[in-house]
Amino acid sequence: MRELLAECRAQDEAISRARLEIWLGAEPTFTDRSRQDPEWLWRAEGGDKEERAESLLRALAARLAATATLVRVEGRRFPGEERPRFCLGARYLPGKSGEAPRALDPSGLAGSPSPLPALGPGERWLSVTPDPGVVEVNLAPAPDLATFAHHAESVYAAAEEAGLSPVRFRWNGHATDSGGGGQLTLGGPAPERSPFFLHPQLLPSMVRYLNHHPSLSYAFAPDCVGSAGQGPRPDEGVRELFDELGVALDRLAARERPAPDEIWATLAPLLVDASGNSHRAEVNVEKLWNPHLPGRGRMGVVEFRSLRMPDGPRRLVAVAALFRAVAARLALDPCDDPLVDWGPELHDRVSLPFYLEQDLRDVLADLEAQGFGLGSRTRAVLLSPPPEVARVELAGAVLSVRPAVDFWPLVGDVASQERSTARTVDSSSERVELLVTSPGQPPGRVAAQGLEVPLEPGGGANHVGAVRYRAFAPRPGLHPGLGPHDPLVVEWERRGEAVRVELHGWKPGGGAYETLPADAAEAERRRRERVVVRPGRPRGVRRVPSSRLTLDLRRLPTALPT
């Protein structure tokens, strides 16, 4: 973390020289990865969750505050819930990094909830609340990236002290985030000084820029993306709304200085998910200038929701630096390019890791050209590739199997699930990218379950393909009678040689894991043992005509025997 601080300060100086003020906030979420109780899987409250949240709050206030008063305030009440959720907060004078607090008053945590306290000059407010399966921390906005880095390091340390984790490990070793997301917010020192109002074309430009750069939507996304996710893109929702969004952006561009209420009223009905929910959208403007949300609707804040909970503070800071740099770049040089209608390409080719990395490098180059380039260490964190599922060599070439984002549908009616704290998706499909690096030679042929996988030249020595398959039979779920492709068998033939890679969903040969993985090392061991590499033999494969780069095994007839 320390090595990033110099780069954080460099960005702060660049933004200050440009006479911009862009404050950052975050909503990191943590879970108890060792537990399978409902409150740590899908329920918002229950068990010891409130006690653990209080432990986190105390540990965090002790790291951030010179003095602090801890209080219980009335939390939000969601549809279908009998009472408001708990909300524990800290009103504090920020202390210096490493400085012990002079006073920590917890008396306000006892008894009935009190109103949200009014803040005096220089005071900050943070809160800890429950969400399905996690505890969510709403950090106080930071005026600069260096302060945000201190907040990030402090909240991860406080969570660890409370026995909470930013990641989960599944029974089979699959590593994922906490499950609650890792949203970021951008704003200003006061609502009327929000950069989205001082630079009225900033928000429309951000919408256009994110549309043009899918890496900002998918490279740091959680497992559940697409229309059923917590931060769907505008082009993943209702078709008519996406068409209207283009009209709205053009009308705002024609206005010299649209007022805050005009910006909000123009974009809020269109930046929504498929059911019309404005909270669950990639760009969430419900706290920008919303007259229908008393007390917290007119804050000049925009939330970016297509972000997974990072596994550590370095990644949280790097992603925050990226989005803040994009905002600074667009504040000075707005983007007026027409929206791209990606069509099927969005969930097929451009969302594969290989192409997301290319797009992210384009974004980083654009920021550098505009004077808001990120430092080498920050770029290295952002460009770190996803862990490989498998890697094999054959006749001087390499086949890398990498996890790719997939797009899970909701099971049932979208609107009826809006009143639930958790929604049901069919998560039974998985997608992997097959990247062949073959310098100076053809890549050979790759097959999955005996069916040829199309390989597309990706530039240089690279050829790219992808496979979607059913990992398990869900209950409830879609496609009854369709069994899992377990193991997924990938065969690679090249220059008369062949290799076979078996990707098992569980222990090869059967058997169950008795406990969850105790740590990351045990999770990695289980992932490795589920990959079996054997010598193969050249044989005929079936070629299936398709207009997509991703071979979807669920759509195809029974493959050749494996």
Side-chain angles (χ1 to χ4, degrees):
M1 189 64 199
R2 296 182 186 277
E3 69 272 17
L4 291 183
L5 280 177
E7 296 180 0
C8 291
R9 296 188 182 102
Q11 183 183 102
D12 292 337
E13 292 171 2
I15 288 179
S16 178
R17 286 195 301 270
R19 300 181 182 276
L20 296 171
E21 286 185 289
I22 304 177
W23 288 46
L24 304 102
E27 298 179 4
T29 57
F30 301 91
T31 190
D32 187 335
R33 69 173 186 234
S34 68
R35 300 266 292 277
Q36 294 288 288
D37 306 282
E39 65 272 14
W40 297 113
L41 291 177
W42 54 269
R43 187 181 293 166
E45 292 186 282
D48 64 346
K49 183 177 270 190
E50 185 170 336
E51 290 79 5
R52 304 287 289 283
E54 182 178 332
S55 296
L56 191 159
L57 177 66
R58 287 173 178 266
L60 180 55
R63 285 171 168 81
L64 294 181
T67 60
T69 300
L70 308 185
V71 296
R72 177 187 301 275
V73 299
E74 188 164 301
R76 295 182 65 182
R77 181 178 180 182
F78 289 80
E81 296 183 341
E82 296 180 359
R83 61 182 185 278
R85 297 177 183 176
F86 71 79
C87 182
L88 312 178
R91 184 181 66 188
Y92 66 97
L93 291 159
K96 296 180 180 179
S97 177
E99 177 184 72
R102 293 191 296 270
L104 191 65
D105 178 9
S107 60
L109 293 176
S112 301
S114 60
L116 193 69
L119 301 181
E123 287 189 321
R124 299 284 184 266
W125 170 257
L126 68 86
S127 64
V128 183
T129 60
D131 228 14
V134 296
V135 166
E136 177 182 292
V137 183
N138 293 277
L139 292 171
D144 51 54
L145 190 58
T147 302
F148 182 85
H150 174 46
H151 289 181
E153 198 167 27
S154 298
V155 74
Y156 278 83
E160 184 176 11
E161 187 174 323
L164 299 175
S165 170
V167 299
R168 295 180 188 268
F169 301 123
R170 305 299 187 196
W171 292 88
N172 66 357
H174 176 70
T176 185
D177 61 295
S178 65
Q183 294 86 5
L184 292 171
T185 58
L186 298 180
E192 63 276 7
R193 291 168 62 189
S194 168
F196 299 103
F197 300 152
L198 296 180
H199 304 273
Q201 294 304 326
L202 172 54
L203 180 56
S205 291
M206 288 288 290
V207 174
R208 294 181 191 269
Y209 199 86
L210 266 64
N211 164 259
H212 278 256
H213 292 289
S215 62
L216 299 176
S217 303
Y218 300 136
F220 315 105
D223 287 345
C224 186
V225 293
S227 63
Q230 293 296 310
R233 290 165 53 100
D235 47 6
E236 292 176 320
V238 177
R239 177 72 215 190
E240 291 82 358
L241 290 183
F242 180 65
D243 291 340
E244 295 301 323
L245 179 61
V247 176
L249 293 173
D250 289 344
R251 290 190 61 81
L252 285 175
R255 300 276 290 150
E256 185 174 349
R257 290 195 64 83
D261 56 347
E262 184 179 357
I263 297 173
W264 181 85
T266 300
L267 294 179
L270 303 174
L271 298 178
V272 295
D273 72 354
S275 68
N277 187 327
S278 62
H279 176 76
R280 195 179 288 116
E282 179 183 34
V283 180
N284 173 11
V285 298
E286 66 176 351
K287 297 179 184 177
L288 181 67
W289 205 249
N290 182 357
H292 308 299
L293 198 60
R296 56 191 184 92
R298 294 184 172 182
M299 299 175 65
V301 164
V302 173
E303 181 182 62
F304 299 89
R305 294 182 52 83
S306 60
L307 302 169
R308 73 187 300 122
M309 177 58 187
D311 59 2
R314 295 174 74 253
R315 193 159 183 84
L316 175 59
V317 172
V319 173
L322 171 65
F323 276 80
R324 186 174 183 239
V326 168
R329 172 255 187 272
L330 294 173
L332 299 186
D333 185 13
C335 172
D336 58 3
D337 297 331
L339 294 179
V340 177
D341 188 354
W342 291 100
E345 285 272 287
L346 185 65
H347 288 186
D348 182 25
R349 178 178 176 276
V350 300
S351 53
L352 292 174
F354 181 83
Y355 293 106
L356 291 179
E357 180 181 331
Q358 287 190 342
D359 181 64
L360 181 56
R361 289 185 182 277
D362 290 343
V363 171
L364 296 173
D366 178 55
L367 294 177
E368 186 72 33
Q370 296 291 330
F372 295 104
L374 303 180
S376 59
R377 291 185 174 90
T378 304
R379 292 198 305 271
V381 174
L382 295 172
L383 291 168
S384 58
E388 293 175 324
V389 177
R391 182 182 183 88
V392 293
E393 296 185 10
L394 186 67
V398 174
L399 168 65
S400 173
V401 183
R402 300 196 291 184
V405 295
D406 206 4
F407 303 89
W408 300 331
L410 282 170
V411 178
D413 181 67
V414 174
S416 66
Q417 296 194 42
E418 285 302 304
R419 301 186 63 83
S420 303
T421 57
R423 302 185 301 165
T424 303
V425 299
D426 184 334
S427 59
S428 64
S429 68
E430 292 188 12
R431 193 164 64 131
V432 291
E433 176 190 80
L434 306 175
L435 176 64
V436 177
T437 304
S438 175
Q441 295 288 335
R445 291 201 301 179
V446 177
Q449 298 331 62
L451 301 172
E452 185 171 7
V453 179
L455 293 178
E456 173 182 283
N462 298 302
H463 290 76
V464 187
V467 176
R468 177 178 289 114
Y469 63 102
R470 171 157 272 196
F472 62 91
R475 295 184 179 87
L478 305 176
H479 316 308
L482 175 63
H485 301 98
D486 188 10
L488 176 67
V489 178
V490 176
E491 296 169 292
W492 181 28
E493 177 186 342
R494 185 172 182 272
R495 297 173 63 179
E497 299 183 44
V499 65
R500 173 186 173 106
V501 181
E502 300 174 3
L503 306 180
H504 294 258
W506 213 248
K507 281 186 176 182
Y513 297 104
E514 296 182 357
T515 63
L516 288 169
D519 51 30
E522 172 62 18
E524 184 180 6
R525 187 192 68 77
R526 295 185 188 183
R527 293 196 299 272
R528 285 200 308 266
E529 78 173 1
R530 294 191 290 108
V531 179
V532 178
V533 179
R534 309 180 191 273
R537 55 183 175 83
R539 64 188 181 96
V541 297
R542 185 185 304 173
R543 177 173 294 180
V544 180
S546 174
S547 60
R548 305 288 176 87
L549 183 58
T550 299
L551 174 68
D552 192 341
L553 295 177
R554 305 170 310 158
R555 301 179 63 93
L556 301 173
T558 304
L560 296 174
T562 58

